[in-house]
Amino acid sequence: MATASVAFKSREDHRKQLELEEARKAGLAPAEVDEDGKEINPHIPQYMSSAPWYLNAERPSLKHQRKWKSDPNYTKSWYDRGAKIFQSEKYRKGACENCGAMTHDAKSCMERPRKKGAKWTNMHIAPDEKIETFELDYDGKRDRWNGYDASTYARVIERYEARDEARRKYLKEQQLKKLEEKNSKNDGEGGGGGEDSDEDDDDDELKVDEAKVDESKQMDFAKVEKRVRTTGGGSTGTVRNLRIREDTAKYLLNLDVNSAYYDPKTRSMREDPLPDADPNEKFYGGDNQYRMSGQALEFKQLNIHAWEAFDKGQDIHMQAAPSQAELLFRNYKVIKEKLKSKTKDTIMEKYGNAATEEEIPMELLLGQSERQVEYDRAGRVIKGMETSLPKSKYEEDIFINNHTSVWGSWWKDHQWGYKCCKQTIRNSYCTGAAGIEAAEAATDLMKANIARKAASEEEKKLATWGTEVPEDLVLDEKLLTEALKKEDERRREEKDERKRKYNVRWNDEVTAEEMEAYRMKKVHHDDPMKDFLN
């Protein structure tokens, strides 16, 4: 049989344990006992789930079956709130600088900060608090009612009892007051049947709460026990069954197969099962009847408003914040009604209201006015019916900087300007006719300068070397030969830079012969005979 393995800190501990076991076998040392004071059988390993039948064990042998983690030091007591242990008469070193208690420092002091602390005044030293530490077990750490004083709940009971007593006293006073008024009226008027019935109604109103209680007790016959918000289990709640069993089921109202569809899963029938029946005699008109009437229609409008507001960027959600959505919908309806009424008042103020009973002025009835209109012999209007140009919502005919016309009244060379001075600068000051003359003179002068410059350029125009060569060009043969030699030397220097001199002088002036030599030596890549040139 295997034995339990034990870990020792050192070889000395192992040797002492072996000696102790040998002494116990020889009867020289007391046997090992458990927590209950019973002797532990050394032949039964501590990890066995059950002892053999021949050992006649009357108790569990495993440690986890004997509460091996139970500690007698655990307690269920709680802190003694507000208890004081000692009050010194003078300040002690290391105490709180504010109140003088030794059990906390000035940072965690709960007293009001003094103008001068106890460290400097040495007066009114606060007593030391009682500090306790408890080692709680598993249940004690998780006990939410640990430290709760049940006697404090008596205050809650007393408050409710006082409220009920005051209520009963008030009802009794009201009843006595009604009886006194009733007796005084009967003595003065000799009594009246109608007034007695009114007084009885008042007495019934005073007992409305008691009647409600009795009614709730009598309605228990229709209660149904159902599970509330659980899938497989959980709390149960009482749900009143308000449906009576005498009405006909909706799927039995019309047994025609082609009639309104009944969904057995949701128990809904949206269409009317009897559309041809008298509406005054129908008890049920389909589920759509309830969806399009009453508060269902308002709820539908609320959902539509929430969707539209969310699409327009409003932070609103019907399921996440229904109260906020309903409040915004109410504000929306109020603002909409105000805007509608304001628009209506504006239209009525501008055009009037034909439905009112105000008398129309005689001038409007007879069509008379002070406007003079002239006609010719053919009946055509000559004068007096000029049509007025409608004005837009923008500002019109506003002249700035002494201008007599608006910006954009003149157009020239793809530029807008002022017609009065023909200027194309928006914020310019109007110069009038003098500005127009000066602008025309400047234009004429600019044209003259351009023409003169073009003429001078034609006179001084040199031969442009490139693809086009002037026909009247005359070249010197001697200079052309020298230019060809220089071009060959330049090309050799480009191939071998070692022949290039240290000081290189550049000359930007190019003669006609040098340009002709460059063109003659230039390699044309499109030329099919370029490989035979050299």
Side-chain angles (χ1 to χ4, degrees), residues 276-494:
D276 300 331
D278 187 5
N280 297 325
E281 298 179 357
K282 284 195 299 185
F283 175 74
Y284 177 75
D287 295 341
N288 289 337
Q289 177 184 2
Y290 305 113
R291 294 189 175 192
M292 301 303 295
S293 62
Q295 294 183 349
L297 188 59
E298 297 178 1
F299 185 73
K300 184 178 179 181
Q301 294 175 355
L302 177 59
N303 277 323
I304 294 174
H305 173 262
W307 298 335
E308 293 178 352
F310 182 79
D311 292 339
K312 293 179 181 179
Q314 190 79 15
D315 188 9
I316 180 175
H317 197 278
M318 184 59 196
Q319 282 71 34
S323 302
Q324 178 191 8
E326 187 172 358
L327 182 61
L328 290 176
F329 182 56
R330 290 182 181 178
N331 296 338
Y332 165 75
K333 289 195 295 185
V334 172
I335 295 173
K336 184 178 180 181
E337 290 295 331
K338 288 183 180 179
L339 184 62
K340 188 176 180 181
S341 61
K342 184 178 179 181
T343 306
K344 182 180 178 181
D345 295 340
T346 305
I347 295 174
M348 290 177 62
E349 183 180 355
K350 186 174 183 180
Y351 301 104
N353 188 4
T356 57
E357 298 180 356
E358 298 178 358
E359 295 182 359
I360 301 176
M362 190 61 65
E363 295 83 10
L364 296 179
L365 289 175
L366 299 178
Q368 297 178 358
S369 64
E370 297 295 333
R371 186 173 56 182
Q372 183 178 1
V373 183
E374 295 182 5
Y375 301 91
D376 59 359
R377 293 183 179 181
R380 293 186 294 268
V381 178
I382 299 175
K383 183 180 179 181
M385 293 290 289
E386 294 84 359
T387 58
S388 60
L389 297 175
K391 290 190 176 183
S392 66
K393 63 179 181 180
Y394 303 102
E395 296 179 348
E396 296 183 5
D397 299 336
I398 296 179
F399 309 113
I400 60 174
N401 296 336
N402 204 26
H403 287 284
T404 57
S405 60
V406 296
W407 169 259
S409 58
W410 187 64
W411 167 267
K412 185 178 181 181
D413 296 336
H414 302 281
Q415 287 183 335
W416 292 104
Y418 294 98
K419 185 179 180 181
C420 55
C421 57
K422 295 185 179 180
Q423 294 194 63
T424 57
I425 301 174
R426 179 70 180 271
N427 295 325
S428 62
Y429 195 81
C430 184
T431 55
I436 296 175
E437 295 176 358
E440 291 177 352
T443 304
D444 296 340
L445 181 61
M446 183 178 63
K447 290 180 179 179
N449 292 335
I450 292 172
R452 186 169 59 254
K453 185 177 180 181
S456 62
E457 286 180 354
E458 289 179 357
E459 294 175 359
K460 296 179 180 180
K461 186 175 181 182
L462 299 176
T464 56
W465 309 107
T467 56
E468 297 180 359
V469 179
E471 297 178 355
D472 55 348
L473 180 64
V474 178
L475 298 174
D476 191 354
E477 296 293 336
K478 185 177 181 180
L479 295 177
L480 180 60
T481 306
E482 294 178 356
L484 289 173
K485 292 180 180 180
K486 289 181 180 179
E487 184 67 20
D488 293 337
E489 292 177 359
R490 187 182 67 80
R491 289 180 178 273
R492 283 196 297 272
E493 288 180 359
E494 288 181 355

Side-chain angles (χ1 to χ4, degrees), residues 33 36 67 69 72-73 80 98 132 164 182 195 204 207 221 234 240 259 264 301 340 373 391 403 431 435 508:
V33 295
D36 300 333
K67 298 182 181 179
K69 269 193 175 182
N73 296 326
D80 190 4
N98 185 43
E132 299 174 286
D164 294 340
K182 182 179 179 181
E195 295 178 356
D204 294 338
K207 301 177 182 180
F221 70 93
R240 292 246 177 91
S259 63
Q301 294 175 355
K340 188 176 180 181
V373 183
K391 290 190 176 183
H403 287 284
T431 55
D508 295 337

Side-chain angles (χ1 to χ4, degrees), residues 178-179 182 193-207:
K178 294 292 183 181
L179 289 174
K182 182 179 179 181
E195 295 178 356
D196 293 341
S197 61
D198 295 339
E199 296 298 333
D200 295 338
D201 295 339
D202 295 337
D203 295 339
D204 294 338
E205 291 177 359
L206 295 174
K207 301 177 182 180

Side-chain angles (χ1 to χ4, degrees), residues 18-35:
L18 292 176
E19 291 177 357
L20 182 60
E21 290 179 358
E22 293 292 336
R24 284 174 179 169
K25 291 179 181 180
L28 300 177
E32 186 179 1
V33 295
D34 58 2
E35 298 172 357

